[in-house]
Amino acid sequence: MKRIIQLIASIFLLTLGNVGFSQQTNKHMKAKILFVVTSHDTKGSTGEKTGYYLAEVSHPWKVLTEAGYEIDFVSPKGGNPPVDGFDLSDAENKEFWENEHYHQKITNTMKPSEVKPEEYAGIFYAGGHGAMWDLPDNSDIAQIAAKIYENNGIVAAVCHGPAGLVNIKLSNGAYLISGKKVNGFSNEEEELVKLTNVVPFLLEDQMKKQGGIYEKSAPWSEHVTVDGRLITGQNPQSAKAVGEAIKKALAK
């Protein structure tokens, strides 16, 4: 009988130790953020190539991974997405592109069907002109974003990335951006890059149409708008600051 009692006590202590280890492991697991990038590679009928803008991935990636977050990537088609703004003289671009772990991830993005929204503390839409064509009407990614947001997560985007936000609807049927302060690539900036008549719509106008309270600064000025758990940046110059705003919001 004494040996049986000792055995039961040992099992109990071992179980208690395993629970403690599991709790410690979970406590130190990295929270994850989902980055969305475009699969679209051409600017309308111009024949000019586009894709996701590298600095709009690498700059927030740098901020968030240094803060301890793990980044995953999804694109409408999955696989290897087209990249634009490929400039390795930019230190963050170079660091990101040459990071073996993340190079594997960005060149093998998940399909929306492979994403489990409950695993993510936030979702971030990177820009690049390609986003204007395939992100607005991608209902699968929109549903992922809505679930993350309604699970108290962060939704963020920069430059043309907010194109992916314009048609997101919450479970109450309202547009995510309706009644909220937002920004994104301005009409003036689109005019300056001479693509006003090439893009399928003007992002500034569409955000206003869907009820967003649009704000902006002068072209190419850093501008980040935070409205609760919705964070948007105007242009490539705002990418790092969007990353910082995501980090700050997640720390609350």
Side-chain angles (χ1 to χ4, degrees), residues 21 45 65-66 72 107 113 134 230:
F21 176 76
S45 59
T65 53
E66 285 190 342
D72 287 342
T107 55
S113 61
D134 67 350
L230 179 63

Side-chain angles (χ1 to χ4, degrees), residues 68-206:
Y69 295 98
E70 178 71 15
I71 308 298
D72 287 342
F73 297 92
V74 65
S75 63
K77 294 181 180 178
N80 191 4
V83 58
D84 198 2
F86 191 78
D87 176 13
L88 296 189
S89 67
D90 177 302
E92 282 82 0
N93 283 355
K94 181 177 173 63
E95 182 179 350
F96 172 76
W97 199 252
E98 294 180 353
N99 182 298
E100 187 175 340
H101 174 63
Y102 280 104
H103 189 82
Q104 171 69 15
K105 281 192 168 189
I106 192 63
T107 55
N108 293 275
T109 61
M110 291 187 290
K111 294 178 181 177
S113 61
E114 297 173 312
V115 174
K116 297 177 181 178
E118 65 274 12
E119 293 184 353
Y120 297 95
I123 184 169
F124 165 72
Y125 287 75
H129 270 91
M132 295 289 286
W133 278 269
D134 67 350
L135 296 187
D137 297 317
N138 192 290
S139 59
D140 293 332
I141 299 179
Q143 287 171 15
I144 291 167
K147 287 177 182 177
I148 290 172
Y149 187 79
E150 293 187 321
N151 196 34
N152 292 316
I154 305 298
V155 174
V158 72
C159 198
H160 287 95
L165 307 183
V166 295
N167 291 324
I168 295 174
K169 283 189 175 181
L170 302 176
S171 56
N172 63 5
Y175 286 110
L176 169 64
I177 67 171
S178 181
K180 296 184 181 73
K181 293 184 290 183
V182 292
N183 72 29
F185 208 63
S186 69
N187 289 352
E188 290 91 340
E189 286 166 325
E190 206 67 80
E191 183 67 30
L192 287 168
V193 297
K194 297 180 169 47
L195 290 172
T196 299
N197 297 316
V198 174
V199 291
F201 58 89
L202 291 175
L203 183 54
E204 175 182 333
D205 291 351
Q206 191 66 17

